[in-house]
Amino acid sequence: MEAKQGYRVEHDCVGESLIPENVYYGIHTQRATENFKITRRRTNPEMIKSVAEIKKACAITNFEAGVLSEKKKDAIVYACDEIIWGRYLDQFIVDPIQGGAGTSHNMNANEVIANIAIEHLGGKLGDYSIIHPNDDVNMGQSTNDVYPTSGKIALIRLLGETIESLKELESALISKAEEFDDVIKMGRTQMQDAIPIRLGQEFRAYSTVISRNIRLFKTACTVLKTVNMGATAIGTGLNADVSYMDKIVKNLAQVTDLELVQAEDLIDGTQNIDVFVHVSGLVKSCAISMSKIANDLRLMSSGPTCGFAEINLPARQAGSSIMPGKVNPVIPEVVSQVAFNCVGNDVAVTMAAEAGQLELNAFEPVIFYNLFESVETIGRAASTFVHNCILGITANAERTKNMVHNSYGIVTAFAPHIGYEKSVEVIHKAIEKNLPVKAVLISEKIMTEEEIDNILDVFSMTTPGIAKKN
């Protein structure tokens, strides 16, 4: 094949192809773009950064092992640093969902790094006699150890960002818990009146579940720090120098500033990707918890005149094109939609992990695509939840107090004082005569108004051990 103006000729095992002369990727990347027009999205920037860090650590390790010259090592390290600093990201053009177990992502990185290094050394793009994508940049590696390790590093960092967003959500909920600590309202079980609770207690519970998810995410980051670098194709380390295998993860830990450790069983570390199912499950669980909070806020704010109307959510935008003045709970709604999407992503991750065969799972691309989306979107959902909803919530304290005092459910507070059977009689008479419980207690001379008011004290009704039998 002859080169045309503005193009260079590259070849692979399939044949030859014309590559634009000014691009840093090569034939393997171009074939991947022709084969995988799936999402029409680009690889996550954290995944690009992490693969560059891996290639940098590998070059350093191969040099220390005496199998890569210092000149090539320095050029490859220079190229990797350029990518780590955020340059050349536009050269990573492979669709994130791809066949080949991530080979296209790995080759895209090999080619871009090689060509940056070639140019740095004064050569022409595509002159792989200077730096070769496979022989030099990919030395001692396989897609099968590079790709999952790259994904784990990216996940650790993405989870770190989401943890910070969740901490902000936890803090906002705690703040509201303190603000609403003396607001009494009716608690509900199975959507029916139950017993009183303080609005602050509800918000404190919301903060607790978010706190628990933060701890679980931190644990997930620790689990992800075990990587299979040095495994090469199937965990046996074929084509990797013994010294390289011993040092690669230590060097990668230094490059990434993460406490990475090498898998004790590299074959297991290559075959089995249950860790991603575990992490996906934690992400899904967090999303479900956030959606549950969002559902509660939508219920408590329903109205404004014909619903619970216990709280007010900040108005963010017009709610209808036909109903003037209608305002909808759009932020809780979007939080729930993120949760729905995370559930679907978790199913995809689970199925992909199950589909692995023998020495390798070929479906890691779809796993990372869905996991990255879930981790990033719940972090963004948490952020909009805080700033566009939680911080602006106000309570309708007088309304919630009246609802408590007019509810038949408060008879439960009197049961320790008058007994269960008498409480049943009171509730039946209250329903029969359409009277508040308090009115029945007084009219039947069961309790005095002072005794009733003492029992209906906010903290007596909602704090264990305060209410005492007369």
Side-chain angles (χ1 to χ4, degrees):
M1 179 180 292
E2 293 185 6
K4 296 181 180 180
Q5 186 174 1
Y7 290 86
R8 65 179 188 261
V9 177
E10 290 194 15
H11 68 275
D12 62 4
C13 62
V14 178
E16 294 183 329
S17 184
L18 292 173
I19 310 296
E21 64 181 4
N22 61 342
V23 300
Y24 291 82
Y25 57 79
I27 189 170
H28 296 285
T29 303
Q30 182 160 294
R31 290 203 194 283
T33 62
E34 294 167 356
N35 291 332
F36 311 124
K37 295 178 180 179
I38 309 300
T39 67
R40 296 193 179 276
R41 297 180 183 178
R42 298 287 180 89
T43 299
N44 190 291
E46 286 294 346
M47 189 77 160
I48 297 172
K49 176 183 177 182
S50 63
V51 75
E53 289 172 323
I54 291 170
K55 300 297 177 178
K56 176 180 179 177
C58 290
I60 292 169
T61 309
N62 281 317
F63 167 70
E64 292 175 347
V67 293
L68 185 69
S69 71
E70 184 172 13
K71 180 180 178 181
K72 288 185 176 182
K73 181 264 293 183
D74 289 343
I76 292 171
V77 167
Y78 168 83
C80 291
D81 282 339
E82 289 286 290
I83 296 167
I84 292 167
W85 292 332
R87 297 166 189 157
Y88 299 97
L89 297 186
D90 62 333
Q91 299 299 304
F92 288 81
I93 62 173
V94 177
D95 196 291
I97 295 184
Q98 54 191 258
T103 297
S104 297
H105 170 74
N106 187 33
M107 288 303 298
N108 193 170
N110 290 335
E111 290 173 338
V112 172
I113 290 167
N115 278 306
I116 296 171
I118 290 166
E119 188 175 64
H120 179 64
L121 292 174
K124 293 180 62 176
L125 299 182
D127 185 358
Y128 298 133
S129 65
I130 301 173
I131 299 284
H132 196 277
N134 298 79
D135 297 338
D136 299 320
V137 181
N138 198 62
M139 180 185 288
Q141 305 149 56
S142 165
T143 292
N144 303 345
D145 58 0
V146 169
Y147 191 68
T149 300
S150 174
K152 286 182 176 181
I153 294 170
L155 271 174
I156 289 169
R157 289 177 173 147
L158 292 173
L159 282 168
E161 293 175 8
T162 294
I163 286 170
E164 292 306 309
S165 295
L166 292 175
K167 284 180 179 178
E168 196 174 19
L169 176 57
E170 177 193 20
S171 178
L173 291 168
I174 290 173
S175 176
K176 286 296 169 180
E178 294 169 352
E179 180 183 343
F180 300 146
D181 190 52
D182 61 350
V183 177
I184 191 73
K185 57 159 287 185
M186 202 62 201
R188 297 176 179 86
T189 57
Q190 294 160 276
M191 290 301 294
Q192 304 299 304
D193 294 355
I195 59 176
I197 189 172
R198 300 197 305 278
L199 184 59
Q201 290 175 309
E202 287 187 319
F203 275 79
R204 177 70 64 175
Y206 298 153
S207 72
T208 299
V209 72
I210 298 301
S211 175
R212 181 163 60 251
N213 279 283
I214 290 170
R215 291 196 302 273
L216 291 171
F217 276 20
K218 288 179 178 178
T219 301
C221 288
T222 300
V223 173
L224 287 167
K225 289 176 182 177
T226 298
V227 299
N228 71 326
M229 285 304 299
T232 68
I234 62 171
T236 59
L238 182 66
N239 289 352
D241 185 87
V242 174
S243 175
Y244 165 92
M245 290 183 66
D246 181 57
K247 294 180 179 179
I248 178 55
V249 176
K250 298 172 187 175
N251 284 339
L252 182 57
Q254 288 186 328
V255 169
T256 59
D257 197 28
L258 296 172
E259 297 176 349
L260 304 175
V261 295
Q262 192 172 49
E264 292 182 8
D265 186 333
L266 289 173
I267 294 176
D268 165 64
T270 306
Q271 280 186 9
N272 300 307
I273 54 175
D274 48 295
V275 62
F276 300 129
V277 179
H278 172 67
V279 174
S280 181
L282 294 180
V283 174
K284 179 184 71 172
S285 177
C286 181
I288 292 299
S289 296
M290 287 172 58
S291 184
K292 193 273 181 185
I293 295 170
N295 289 338
D296 284 358
L297 297 184
R298 289 192 298 119
L299 278 172
M300 288 190 285
S301 66
S302 61
T305 58
C306 298
F308 286 5
E310 295 176 336
I311 62 173
N312 307 300
L313 304 184
R316 297 307 306 174
Q317 61 189 69
S320 174
S321 61
I322 187 173
M323 293 172 279
K326 190 173 187 292
V327 177
N328 296 327
V330 293
I331 304 303
E333 287 171 352
V334 80
V335 170
S336 288
Q337 289 179 80
V338 167
F340 306 156
N341 194 58
C342 286
V343 172
N345 287 346
D346 179 64
V347 173
V349 170
T350 302
M351 295 302 296
E354 184 276 336
Q357 298 163 321
L358 303 176
E359 275 64 63
L360 181 69
N361 188 300
F363 308 107
E364 288 176 3
V366 77
I367 287 177
F368 291 137
Y369 178 78
N370 284 284
L371 257 179
F372 292 165
E373 181 179 71
S374 291
V375 171
E376 288 187 310
T377 53
I378 66 167
R380 294 168 189 155
S383 183
T384 195
F385 210 7
V386 170
H387 297 288
N388 294 321
C389 182
I390 304 295
L391 293 177
I393 293 174
T394 58
N396 295 324
E398 195 61 32
R399 173 177 170 79
T400 59
K401 180 180 177 182
N402 290 335
M403 290 171 73
V404 168
H405 286 186
N406 290 321
S407 169
Y408 298 140
I410 63 167
V411 76
T412 305
F414 298 100
H417 305 272
I418 65 175
Y420 185 89
E421 295 298 330
K422 181 63 72 174
S423 297
V424 172
E425 290 178 19
V426 169
I427 195 70
H428 285 166
K429 287 181 180 179
I431 294 172
E432 180 185 342
K433 297 180 179 180
N434 193 27
L435 291 172
V437 168
K438 180 177 179 179
V440 174
L441 288 169
I442 293 173
S443 66
E444 296 291 321
K445 299 187 182 336
I446 299 172
M447 301 187 79
T448 67
E449 187 168 0
E450 183 180 357
E451 289 172 331
I452 293 170
D453 289 342
N454 286 336
I455 294 171
L456 293 183
D457 172 74
V458 170
F459 286 92
S460 292
M461 288 190 291
T462 60
T463 306
I466 287 185
K468 294 183 179 178
K469 194 171 183 178
N470 289 339

